[in-house]
């Protein structure tokens, strides 16, 4: 069962790739709930948020249950995973926040870590890919590094694939995409979402 593989992999290597996390009809249903208007993504934390197109070139919208049943179903699935991670790994995860991301042609996100400086509330990062007809020439791959800058793996953004990794341990980047690239990024948190 994939949840057991996820737990084992997070506890031993700190990351896990779960192919087929969602099937195409579920992905389409979620996409149908996404509003047409997205906001330019920003970097930083709370009062220090700022736009910086030299670092990050995607647009986002935070997911809320009011957006529709497919979003609620996704969030419920993530809640079940949060509870199982807590049950087996004792990470003290208390919440989950998530947003939809769209990278236009040429979009990228330079190497970064998912916790802004001095803020350690994000413990496990999740990224669900939603690109049904992705081809190797389309770009937009996720590249994950270790703490010393060695490349660990490159992941193609194939629809239904979900990657989980420990937020503070793995710097990562999104390579420039040649087509629109869509995903849902999320974080299991050590505090509740306000």
């Amino acid at each position: 069962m994939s949840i057991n593989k996820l737990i084992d992999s997070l506890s031993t290597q700190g990351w896990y790739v779960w192919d087929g996390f969602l099937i195409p009809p579920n992905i389409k249903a979620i996409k149908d709930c996404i509003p047409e208007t997205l906001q330019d993504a920003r970097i930083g934390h709370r009062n220090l948020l700022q736009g910086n197109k030299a670092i990050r070139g995607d647009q986002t919208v935070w997911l809320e249950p009011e957006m529709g049943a497919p979003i609620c179903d996704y969030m419920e699935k993530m809640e079940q995973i949060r509870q199982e991670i807590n049950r087996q790994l004792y990470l003290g995860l208390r919440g989950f926040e998530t947003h939809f991301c769209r990278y236009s042609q040429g979009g990228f996100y330079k190497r970064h870590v998912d916790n802004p400086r001095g803020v350690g509330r994000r413990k496990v990062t999740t990224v669900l890919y939603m690109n049904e007809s992705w081809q190797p020439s389309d770009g937009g791959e996720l590249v994950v590094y270790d703490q010393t800058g060695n490349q660990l793996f490159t992941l193609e953004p194939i629809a239904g694939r979900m990657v989980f990794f420990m937020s503070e341990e793995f710097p990562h980047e999104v390579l420039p995409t040649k087509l629109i690239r869509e995903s849902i990024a999320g974080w299991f948190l050590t505090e509740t979402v306000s």
Side-chain angles (χ1 to χ4, degrees), residues 105-122:
Q105 185 176 11
F108 61 90
Y109 194 163
K110 289 196 173 178
R111 191 185 311 188
H112 64 285
V113 176
D114 280 348
N115 271 315
R117 287 187 189 97
V119 180
R121 64 194 208 81
R122 292 177 172 173

Side-chain angles (χ1 to χ4, degrees), residues 139-168:
E141 296 92 342
L142 176 75
V143 183
V144 177
Y145 301 88
D146 66 16
Q147 293 283 350
T148 60
N150 296 311
Q151 184 174 322
L152 293 176
F153 62 94
T154 300
L155 194 62
E156 297 92 355
I158 296 169
R161 171 177 282 171
M162 173 82 90
V163 61
F164 296 77
F165 57 89
M166 302 306 292
S167 301
E168 296 176 296

Side-chain angles (χ1 to χ4, degrees), residues 53-96:
K53 295 274 190 188
I55 294 175
R56 181 176 186 179
D58 59 323
Q59 292 189 311
T60 64
V61 62
W62 290 98
L63 298 185
E64 302 292 345
E66 300 80 36
M67 291 177 172
I71 303 289
C72 291
D73 293 345
Y74 175 73
M75 294 175 111
E76 177 57 32
K77 185 169 184 169
M78 298 308 287
E79 172 61 15
Q80 292 169 3
I81 290 171
R82 181 192 71 81
Q83 290 178 16
E84 194 60 32
I85 291 173
N86 272 348
R87 206 173 355 264
Q88 296 196 43
L89 298 182
Y90 309 104
L91 293 182
L93 304 175
R94 298 180 60 204
F96 180 68

